[in-house]
Amino acid sequence: MPLRIVANRPDPAIVTLPWSTPLEEWSDDYVVPLPRGLSRHVVRIVRRGDRTYAVKETQEDIAFREYRLLRDLQRLGLPTVVPQGVVTGRVDGTGEELPAALLTEHLRFSLPYRSLFAHGMTADNLPSLIDAIVVLIVRLHLAGFYWGDVSLSNVLFRRDAGAFSAYLVDAETGELHDHVGTRMREHDITIGCENVFAELMDLQASGAVTTEVDSLAIIDRLREQYAALWAELTDEEEFSAHEMWRIESRIERLNDLGFDVDELDIVTDFDGDRVRIQPKVVELGHHRRELQSLTGMSVEDNQARRLLNDLASYTAHFDLGREDRHLVAYKWLTEIFEPIMAMIPPGARGKLDPAEIFHEILVHRWYLSERAGHEVGIFETARDYIDTVLATKPNEIITADDTEPGLAERFTDVLGRGVREQS
């Protein structure tokens, strides 16, 4: 049986992987020691050249179905791992058939929930994880995706300005529809509560969490936060014709949550005394898109909000409010952000992504200023943070020396180029 590789982003190096060997027997020549979540399948993280992939063995029809579904979700702009391809026709040295393999690109600076706890996270952070997975579920449901297996194990988390963003990893049980009905949404939440409860109990039993976890309160939060966010994004709102300001207020609330409004369905009664509105909400990422339009930076939404706030402070401090926003953003990028990123030693560039480091520096400046009784400068803060905080953190990515030398330089070069192109 000939080996067949179907890939949407062809990488010739994929052919050189040892496809005639069962995945669980792949050697350290290919497998890299990155954390991976629990899975019913054999999964390995491998690297070829400067690209890193997750490889999962599964049945051929399931592999192709998940590959195509992930591609559809990517086209919709949803937060999922990026599908790379499917490998079929695998046989071992004796001619015995081996399972098909699904390849996805490894999501940089992402961790499964168990690894977060191994890196020092405590039970106090569990609400942030739940909030992240709630936002993910709502986004998927709004797009017509029924998950079928909501769980912490099927998600990767990226730090997002002190909070977390969640990414779908396993879409094997998912279905994409024009609309996800109430029963399907409720079933997803029920399954999610059952799985999360079991995962939290397992965390405690394994000793990964040293303090008591109120698992029932956590799953209650999942239900309540989902219901509240879904209602805010989709509910009709009725008010009098003299309260038209509430339309703008509703849009601002949705923007504060990070969502944009594509259109409003506005209906008035016969004599015009009452007004009913229902928003059509589109993709999360309001702040991310604004920052990207100004600077070219692509970051998580909470990170974008923090960076936009710092940009606003910079604008006010130097009285640049009358200047073109793109030019001001370029000045902030080249005078503040890029020089701070250049201060980070090469060996520390695999600890957090640049936007998260900048967020933590802003938080650190608040603590230093409180202690000093006056505002501490951003560069003085950055030096203290790098020496006393960043140096103690574990790597959340393969070290920069092993992957991409000059990460900060290349990162900031891309940012500057994005701004110059837009200016």
Side-chain angles (χ1 to χ4, degrees):
M1 181 184 298
L3 187 71
R4 178 191 178 201
I5 300 176
V6 175
N8 64 310
R9 301 181 180 185
D11 179 2
I14 291 176
V15 180
T16 67
L17 290 168
W19 296 116
S20 60
T21 303
L23 188 54
E24 61 184 354
E25 297 176 12
W26 285 17
S27 70
D28 292 343
D29 293 336
Y30 305 98
V31 178
V32 291
L34 285 172
R36 59 182 188 273
L38 297 178
S39 174
R40 66 178 70 90
H41 305 285
V42 178
V43 178
R44 293 292 183 267
I45 310 296
V46 303
R47 195 173 103 206
R48 302 310 293 156
D50 61 353
R51 302 183 71 176
T52 307
Y53 303 105
V55 184
K56 177 173 75 173
E57 285 187 335
T58 186
Q59 297 177 28
E60 180 176 336
D61 57 339
I62 294 175
F64 275 112
R65 182 181 180 279
E66 186 170 7
Y67 168 72
R68 295 186 181 108
L69 190 52
L70 286 171
R71 290 198 68 186
D72 288 339
L73 295 177
Q74 281 283 305
R75 279 192 283 266
L76 292 172
L78 293 167
T80 72
V81 292
V82 179
Q84 172 66 36
V86 176
V87 179
T88 60
R90 299 173 62 209
V91 293
D92 63 16
T94 66
E96 191 74 22
E97 288 189 19
L98 295 174
L102 171 68
L103 286 87
T104 56
E105 291 186 22
H106 174 68
L107 184 63
R108 289 169 55 84
F109 291 106
S110 67
L111 290 171
Y113 77 101
R114 287 177 171 272
S115 294
L116 287 168
F117 286 97
H119 282 190
M121 199 174 83
T122 68
D124 293 339
N125 299 108
L126 277 170
S128 293
L129 287 189
I130 294 303
D131 291 350
I133 202 170
V134 163
V135 172
L136 175 61
I137 299 168
V138 168
R139 293 179 67 183
L140 293 172
H141 284 172
L142 285 171
F145 180 77
Y146 164 72
W147 195 338
D149 193 15
V150 177
S151 73
L152 293 171
S153 298
N154 288 336
V155 170
L156 285 173
F157 294 95
R158 295 178 77 175
R159 299 186 189 277
D160 183 11
F164 294 94
S165 293
Y167 287 76
L168 176 71
V169 175
D170 193 328
E172 187 174 301
T173 58
E175 301 171 4
L176 195 56
H177 301 273
D178 292 333
H179 172 72
V180 178
T182 301
R183 284 192 175 183
M184 297 177 79
R185 292 193 299 106
E186 289 176 349
H187 188 260
D188 255 354
I189 296 303
T190 298
I191 293 295
C193 288
E194 292 173 355
N195 286 339
V196 169
F197 184 84
E199 287 164 332
L200 294 179
M201 297 297 288
D202 184 55
L203 269 180
Q204 285 195 280
S206 68
V209 181
T210 56
T211 56
E212 188 71 21
V213 175
D214 188 343
S215 300
L216 288 175
I218 293 297
I219 62 172
D220 283 345
R221 182 184 182 92
L222 194 159
R223 283 190 179 278
E224 291 165 4
Q225 292 292 88
Y226 176 85
L229 182 57
W230 184 264
E232 184 65 59
L233 296 175
T234 63
D235 275 4
E236 287 187 352
E237 184 176 0
E238 187 172 309
F239 47 89
S240 78
H242 304 292
E243 299 176 296
M244 298 300 286
W245 56 268
R246 289 175 60 176
I247 295 178
E248 186 65 29
S249 177
R250 179 74 179 273
I251 294 173
E252 288 179 359
R253 291 202 310 272
L254 295 172
N255 288 165
D256 286 341
L257 290 170
F259 290 85
D260 279 337
V261 177
D262 183 50
E263 62 184 35
L264 287 173
D265 185 10
I266 303 176
V267 180
T268 62
D269 63 9
F270 182 74
D271 56 9
D273 282 344
R274 305 296 298 174
V275 177
R276 187 172 70 248
I277 65 168
Q278 184 170 24
K280 178 183 178 183
V281 177
V282 294
E283 182 62 19
L284 182 76
H286 177 77
H287 304 101
R288 184 172 66 241
R289 285 190 290 274
E290 182 179 359
L291 183 72
Q292 189 164 28
S293 73
L294 289 171
T295 68
M297 295 174 65
S298 179
V299 302
E300 299 293 341
D301 207 57
N302 285 335
Q303 292 170 343
R305 188 197 301 251
R306 289 305 306 272
L307 269 59
L308 286 168
N309 287 344
D310 193 67
L311 173 58
S313 298
Y314 174 87
T315 303
H317 180 76
F318 290 101
D319 194 22
L320 300 173
R322 294 183 179 85
E323 300 286 339
D324 180 271
R325 287 192 76 201
H326 288 83
L327 293 178
V328 175
Y330 180 64
K331 285 173 64 68
W332 170 84
L333 191 71
T334 56
E335 295 177 4
I336 304 295
F337 187 86
E338 290 184 358
I340 287 176
M341 291 302 107
M343 293 169 64
I344 300 168
R349 290 172 188 166
K351 294 179 180 291
L352 294 170
D353 80 31
E356 190 68 18
I357 289 175
F358 194 84
H359 155 72
E360 293 206 351
I361 288 172
L362 295 178
V363 174
H364 193 63
R365 180 170 61 174
W366 185 87
Y367 286 115
L368 291 184
S369 300
E370 279 283 300
R371 191 169 64 197
H374 61 83
E375 179 148 338
V376 178
I378 188 67
F379 291 100
E380 182 183 349
T381 299
R383 173 50 58 203
D384 188 78
Y385 168 83
I386 291 167
D387 293 342
T388 64
V389 179
L390 187 62
T392 66
K393 290 182 176 290
N395 277 356
E396 295 193 355
I397 176 182
I398 307 173
T399 61
D401 289 340
D402 290 338
T403 52
E404 295 180 271
L407 175 63
E409 290 84 350
R410 290 176 55 187
F411 182 81
T412 51
D413 178 62
V414 170
L415 300 185
R417 195 164 57 243
V419 174
R420 286 189 289 273
E421 288 170 355
Q422 293 176 44
S423 299

